[in-house]
Amino acid sequence: MSAESLLFTLLHAPFGVVFGYYFICQHLGITKRQRRLSSFTRFAFWNVLLMYVVSVAGIHFLDSQFYALPTDARGQVAISLAFVLALMFVFIAPGYLFGTALPAQIFGKQKPVGKAVGRAIRQSGYLLPRTLGILLPFLFLIGSLSAAVDLAGPEGLPITHSGEVNGFSFLLQALSSLLGIVWDAIWMVVITNAYLKDLRESGEIPAVDAEVFA
């Protein structure tokens, strides 16, 4: 993983945390008066740890293993495809397994993060088809757009080292970033609905309060 990718991730994290907190609050129906600094602090800590640190560490490990291979091995279609699929799995797995812990930090029920994996297993009938049918294709599209820019080389960057603007690459990168925000929103809707669905099925909240499907 390049230094630029790590820097972009670190710069994206604060925006992702704030956007995620207010988006999920809105989806849960948490009013401005009900929002607390304590819930935001819990949400921010677990969001950064589970959604950024774990994913970045996993991607960095896969990246180092892939580029340690001989050049001819990296050029093989099967190995390259396996690498891309592994990257997508490492990126999406923490959110799938632990994502419902984030609305739990805000809503105040079933807060311990350790319960998130059990919740993901119980709600696999809801989570799995949406992850495979919506989130994964979206992620593949976003990655393809970013890869198209990276594979173009130094002169194909949105802003080249000489300071020139490549309009086409800039458009691809902007579209990739915009789709990334949409992806985040869809993911947060999915995990929040899965969390509410689990609360309803366990009897912790009335069914009418959990019927929030977008």
Side-chain angles (χ1 to χ4, degrees):
M1 178 179 288
S2 66
E4 288 84 358
S5 297
L6 287 171
L7 179 60
F8 178 79
T9 301
L10 291 174
L11 292 174
H12 179 267
F15 167 79
V17 168
V18 174
F19 174 75
Y21 179 76
Y22 284 97
F23 189 93
I24 292 177
C25 278
Q26 187 71 24
H27 195 55
L28 287 170
I30 305 295
T31 65
K32 291 182 179 179
R33 291 183 178 181
Q34 293 173 314
R35 297 169 192 174
R36 299 288 183 268
L37 179 61
S38 58
S39 67
F40 175 76
T41 302
R42 289 194 306 267
F43 176 90
F45 174 79
W46 289 113
N47 193 334
V48 171
L49 180 62
L50 298 174
M51 303 303 116
Y52 292 97
V53 175
V54 172
S55 293
V56 168
I59 291 172
H60 182 72
F61 173 77
L62 290 174
D63 214 39
S64 63
Q65 295 301 305
F66 179 74
Y67 285 102
L69 296 173
T71 304
D72 57 340
R74 295 202 305 268
Q76 295 180 21
V77 175
I79 293 178
S80 297
L81 181 60
F83 173 63
V84 171
L85 292 176
L87 284 177
M88 295 176 72
F89 174 80
V90 167
F91 183 82
I92 214 164
Y96 183 93
L97 293 174
F98 301 104
T100 57
L102 300 183
Q105 305 308 311
I106 301 172
F107 205 60
K109 292 181 181 290
Q110 298 181 353
K111 283 194 295 185
V113 175
K115 292 186 176 182
V117 175
R119 195 181 299 122
I121 294 172
R122 288 193 300 272
Q123 297 304 325
S124 58
Y126 177 82
L127 284 170
L128 193 58
R130 286 159 180 79
T131 299
L132 297 178
I134 302 174
L135 294 172
L136 208 57
F138 236 85
L139 185 61
F140 183 79
L141 176 59
I142 293 166
S144 298
L145 292 173
S146 295
V149 175
D150 292 338
L151 292 174
E155 295 305 315
L157 294 173
I159 301 178
T160 65
H161 295 297
S162 60
E164 297 180 2
V165 177
N166 185 316
F168 184 68
S169 291
F170 191 87
L171 179 62
L172 287 181
Q173 194 63 61
L175 182 59
S176 175
S177 299
L178 179 62
L179 289 175
I181 296 174
V182 176
W183 188 93
D184 285 343
I186 295 172
W187 175 72
M188 285 183 282
V189 168
V190 169
I191 62 167
T192 304
N193 285 345
Y195 171 67
L196 291 172
K197 189 170 182 291
D198 197 67
L199 289 182
R200 181 192 63 191
E201 292 174 357
S202 65
E204 294 203 36
I205 58 174
V208 67
D209 292 336
E211 291 294 349
V212 186
F213 293 96

